[in-house]
Amino acid sequence: MKLYAKLFVILCCAILLAVSGTACSKKQVKQEAPATTVPEESDLNAKEFVEPSEIDPALAKIFKDIYFDFDRYNLKPEAKKTLDSIAEWLKNNASYRVLIEGHCDERGTNEYNLALGERRANSAKTYLIGLGIAEKRISTISYGEEKPQCTEHNESCWSKNRRDHFLLARK
Amino acid sequence: MKKILFLLVINGLLVSAVCQAKVYIDISSPSSRRLPILIPTFKNTGGELDRENLASKTPQIIADDLDFSGFFKIIDETALNSSTLEGLTSDRIKWDDLAIVGAEAVVTGGFSIQGGVVSFELRAYDAVQGKFLIGKKYEGRREDYRLIAHRFANEVFRSLTGVDGIFETKIAYVKAIGTDKEISLADYDGGNAKQLTNYGSLCLNPAWAPDGKRIAFTSYKDGNPNLYIMDLARGTTRLVSKKKGVNITPDWAPDGERIALTLNLKDGNSEIYVLHERSGSLERMTSDQSTEVSPSWSPDGRHMAIVSDRSGSPQIYVLEVATGRVRRITYDGSYNTNPAWSPKGDRIAYSGMVGGRHQIFITTPDGQIHQQISREGNNEDPTWSPDGRFLAFCSDRSGQKEIYIMRADGSGQKKITYGRGNKSEPAWSPFGSM
């Protein structure tokens, strides 16, 4: 009996420890082992790219801007439709490369928006790769909130600025 | 950049009394009273006509400096009897008159202009005891009067408080020119503003090296947001990072050899890295699926404040450099960004969204106390003065983005930039900057 009591106490302690342990680990931050992944060197020169409409005015209807919600970078159904058409065109015009510009509205702060713009450009890039476009044909650049399309301070303007914009260059 | 200033300083000018190390203002005391100081119009003691009105402009800069510090009350000169200050030296000052207007310290100044050169003779006195505190003689070009005024304001500040003033420090910032943005530089009070870059491109995120002689910044001039370092003394600019994606938000480590910055992984997910400037080698600091950006080192180099959206919205975290461990310090609101660790280490300033607008907040590194210190308009991008007593930030309260300065408790808010084009992303220089 004594032994059982002892075991019971030990068991209780163990449970308590485990519970408090999880509680603790929830409050405490998770540990991140710094990894060594280093990004690749960039060979992008955005100045080589032009507006699709300069190549052919009809392309403006295919390479339409796609839009995002505030502080979000997920693709909306409308955006996916646009990207489907862009992918189709890129498949038929293998001599062209595309540059995806990620943009944000002025409501965020400048530095964070530079990071968010890169996310937005990459959302479109990942989707295009998924549709079979070669990764090497797709470049991205974030302009954050630094190149607004529309400069008024209201939601109708902000919603136009939260966008991916597309440019083309010949290989 | 060539050295623009010719400045001769003669220490201990006509000094017979050696000033004692008496502290008139204890600036560590939270209830410090403002010391009443009189800084009357300077006297033109000979030479050419004072066409630029240095007689008024120079003492006004000294008065503005001391007033902004929050430790001085500037006494109105018009209350003074015209015969009170017949000369610059103590035998020509009627001390009893100064007592009547309540002055406890007085600055006297004389100058003369010969050709392009102006000579100033500046003194400060303890007006209660009629005692000489400090005197300096400066020579410079006429356009150097601002620097000379700031330098003497530092002397007065030091002799009355025992600590260094920030009146000769600078603020680098981003200025919009059409659709481009260029790095600009001005005195801490906005004077002597000049454009540093002229790339006809986007130049962003200026950050000072601890030596005050170099500025790291991001530019799109070569077709990708790369990181560059500008050497202010040599006038040269060097590419230091051109990784795929962004090379942004540099912050120099206190050792002056490493730069924390933000780079992208393949999917556009940004992470904090540390770049060893000399070797070019990179150390990765964070590893998460979320966006990490805007590192700001603690002054001991052991931590960084960063922004991460791992919780679903951008929040401030403190990262331990040795282990990569992070601790969240902001919980209120859904948009907290722009952390800036104070030079003393005891505070972190940031901008947090309240009611749809960004405001400047100050917290402790443990995130226990949060104090909002701005209210009007959107206020972003706080940056500390090197003594940790003041902040510069960007505000749109005037209808366009401008740079403002204030005391760290939010008092004394003052616009320092003017003219066309938004100004943003101020970076306050260390002491002894170029």
Side-chain angles (χ1 to χ4, degrees):
Chain A
M1 197 63 186
K2 231 180 178 181
L3 184 67
Y4 282 123
K6 249 187 193 169
L7 276 175
F8 183 72
V9 169
I10 289 167
L11 191 66
C12 282
C13 283
I15 289 168
L16 262 174
L17 269 174
V19 167
S20 65
T22 17
C24 258
S25 68
K26 257 184 199 162
K27 265 189 214 159
Q28 250 174 17
V29 282
K30 84 193 124 154
Q31 179 160 354
E32 296 183 354
T36 50
T37 332
V38 168
E40 294 168 49
E41 290 295 305
S42 165
D43 53 4
L44 173 66
N45 184 357
K47 294 167 193 165
E48 294 170 359
F49 291 80
V50 298
E51 292 290 335
S53 61
E54 285 180 33
I55 293 162
D56 178 355
L59 289 183
K61 283 189 180 156
I62 296 168
F63 289 86
K64 291 186 292 188
D65 286 359
I66 60 172
Y67 299 102
F68 297 86
D69 289 335
F70 179 69
D71 194 25
R72 291 285 170 267
Y73 53 87
N74 56 298
L75 299 172
K76 297 199 262 190
E78 185 79 19
K80 287 181 181 170
K81 258 192 238 166
T82 302
L83 289 168
D84 290 341
S85 313
I86 289 174
E88 191 64 28
W89 189 89
L90 287 171
K91 275 180 193 165
N92 295 327
N93 295 272
S95 62
Y96 284 93
R97 292 178 293 142
V98 64
L99 173 63
I100 310 171
E101 296 181 351
H103 295 270
C104 306
D105 72 30
E106 62 175 7
R107 281 185 304 161
T109 47
N110 298 60
E111 294 189 354
Y112 182 76
N113 274 342
L114 287 170
L116 178 63
E118 190 66 32
R119 282 272 185 173
R120 287 181 175 162
N122 272 274
S123 293
K125 178 182 172 179
T126 307
Y127 188 81
L128 290 176
I129 291 171
L131 293 176
I133 308 301
E135 190 179 348
K136 61 177 188 221
R137 292 180 65 197
I138 312 169
S139 299
T140 59
I141 192 165
S142 170
Y143 286 107
E145 64 178 272
E146 311 299 336
K147 284 194 178 294
Q149 167 97 336
C150 179
T151 53
E152 283 160 46
H153 311 294
N154 54 47
E155 174 53 29
S156 108
C157 209
W158 293 328
S159 63
K160 290 188 189 101
N161 288 335
R162 296 190 298 263
R163 69 200 193 279
D164 276 351
H165 184 69
F166 302 91
L167 298 179
L168 290 172
R170 261 189 194 279
K171 268 182 190 168
Chain B
M1 195 166 303
K2 60 181 187 287
K3 182 101 174 152
I4 50 157
L5 178 76
F6 170 63
L7 186 68
L8 179 74
V9 184
I10 299 170
N11 283 294
L13 162 83
L14 315 166
V15 184
S16 50
V18 177
C19 91
Q20 286 173 334
K22 175 180 168 186
V23 172
Y24 288 80
I25 307 170
D26 177 11
I27 58 177
S28 61
S29 153
S31 60
S32 272
R33 180 183 73 97
R34 282 169 165 252
L35 185 89
I37 188 167
L38 179 71
I39 310 171
T41 308
F42 287 178
K43 290 186 193 329
N44 189 349
T45 55
E48 295 161 24
L49 275 176
D50 177 22
R51 286 189 205 91
E52 291 101 335
N53 196 14
L54 300 181
S56 304
K57 282 182 181 167
T58 319
Q60 188 59 52
I61 292 166
I62 298 174
D64 288 346
D65 282 350
L66 297 178
D67 181 52
F68 177 67
S69 78
F71 299 114
F72 293 86
K73 188 178 101 187
I74 310 301
I75 291 184
D76 184 5
E77 184 186 355
T78 55
L80 211 61
N81 196 323
S82 62
S83 66
T84 303
L85 292 158
E86 287 187 321
L88 307 173
T89 47
S90 64
D91 53 322
R92 312 282 305 276
I93 299 169
K94 289 185 182 153
W95 298 106
D96 292 345
D97 285 10
L98 291 183
I100 291 167
V101 297
E104 293 178 29
V106 62
V107 168
T108 68
F111 66 96
S112 67
I113 305 166
Q114 299 285 352
V117 177
V118 54
S119 314
F120 284 94
E121 217 180 283
L122 310 177
R123 293 177 181 79
Y125 294 93
D126 169 341
V128 176
Q129 298 182 41
K131 200 176 82 182
F132 174 83
L133 293 172
I134 191 157
K136 294 274 169 178
K137 196 170 186 175
Y138 301 95
E139 266 183 20
R141 298 173 308 177
R142 291 172 191 221
E143 58 268 36
D144 294 332
Y145 75 94
R146 289 190 148 271
L147 177 51
I148 289 167
H150 288 313
R151 188 158 294 179
F152 193 67
N154 272 336
E155 297 288 352
V156 173
F157 190 81
R158 172 167 262 296
S159 73
L160 290 169
T161 66
V163 303
D164 288 330
I166 48 89
F167 310 128
E168 272 188 72
T169 58
K170 310 249 164 128
I171 295 175
Y173 56 96
V174 172
K175 185 180 176 199
I177 298 166
T179 56
D180 299 325
K181 291 194 171 182
E182 303 281 3
I183 308 295
S184 288
L185 181 66
D187 295 348
Y188 94 95
D189 62 353
N192 287 325
K194 62 180 175 192
Q195 198 179 317
L196 287 182
T197 60
N198 191 15
Y199 292 123
S201 178
L202 285 175
C203 297
L204 309 168
N205 306 163
W208 287 91
D211 64 9
K213 293 176 173 63
R214 291 169 296 159
I215 293 174
F217 65 102
T218 294
S219 176
Y220 289 66
K221 71 189 185 77
D222 297 321
N224 189 66
N226 298 331
L227 191 73
Y228 301 84
I229 294 176
M230 183 180 355
D231 186 315
L232 296 173
R234 296 197 181 110
T236 55
T237 296
R238 184 167 74 82
L239 172 71
V240 286
S241 178
K242 58 173 283 244
K243 303 299 179 190
K244 272 191 179 164
V246 297
N247 299 257
I248 55 167
T249 70
D251 190 53
W252 237 293
D255 62 18
E257 292 174 0
R258 294 170 299 159
I259 299 169
L261 79 167
T262 306
L263 301 171
N264 289 123
L265 295 175
K266 261 192 166 173
D267 56 354
N269 162 20
S270 60
E271 303 285 359
I272 309 297
Y273 285 79
V274 170
L275 171 70
H276 292 252
E277 196 203 336
R278 207 164 300 165
S279 67
S281 67
L282 281 171
E283 266 178 90
R284 185 165 159 192
M285 289 292 122
T286 55
S287 140
D288 199 279
Q289 290 306 302
S290 54
T291 297
E292 274 76 34
V293 68
S294 303
S296 173
W297 292 88
S298 65
D300 64 7
R302 292 174 55 209
H303 296 89
M304 284 175 208
I306 64 166
V307 173
S308 172
D309 74 345
R310 65 187 63 189
S311 71
S313 66
Q315 299 292 344
I316 314 286
Y317 293 75
V318 166
L319 172 104
E320 188 180 32
V321 173
T323 61
R325 222 174 261 150
V326 295
R327 178 165 45 80
R328 182 172 168 182
I329 62 164
T330 56
Y331 287 90
D332 287 343
S334 59
Y335 205 104
N336 294 305
T337 59
N338 298 145
W341 209 308
S342 79
K344 285 181 194 159
D346 57 346
R347 296 279 187 279
I348 295 170
Y350 63 95
S351 51
M353 208 185 237
V354 186
R357 287 176 188 276
H358 298 284
Q359 300 299 348
I360 309 295
F361 285 82
I362 304 233
T363 185
T364 44
D366 60 10
Q368 289 301 307
I369 303 159
H370 294 260
Q371 189 197 357
Q372 184 182 337
I373 57 168
S374 71
R375 314 252 160 218
E376 204 187 334
N378 277 291
N379 302 283
E380 304 173 19
D381 291 330
T383 173
W384 293 91
S385 64
D387 63 354
R389 293 181 203 287
F390 311 101
L391 288 157
F393 59 102
C394 160
S395 178
D396 67 359
R397 67 184 68 168
S398 71
Q400 149 173 308
K401 286 187 175 180
E402 300 284 358
I403 309 300
Y404 289 70
I405 53 175
M406 66 179 165
R407 297 178 204 114
D409 64 359
S411 65
Q413 300 192 13
K414 183 158 119 179
K415 180 156 98 86
I416 62 157
T417 50
Y418 299 89
R420 278 176 69 97
N422 285 317
K423 294 93 183 170
S424 55
E425 301 196 73
W428 204 314
S429 80
F431 283 116
S433 64
M434 293 286 301

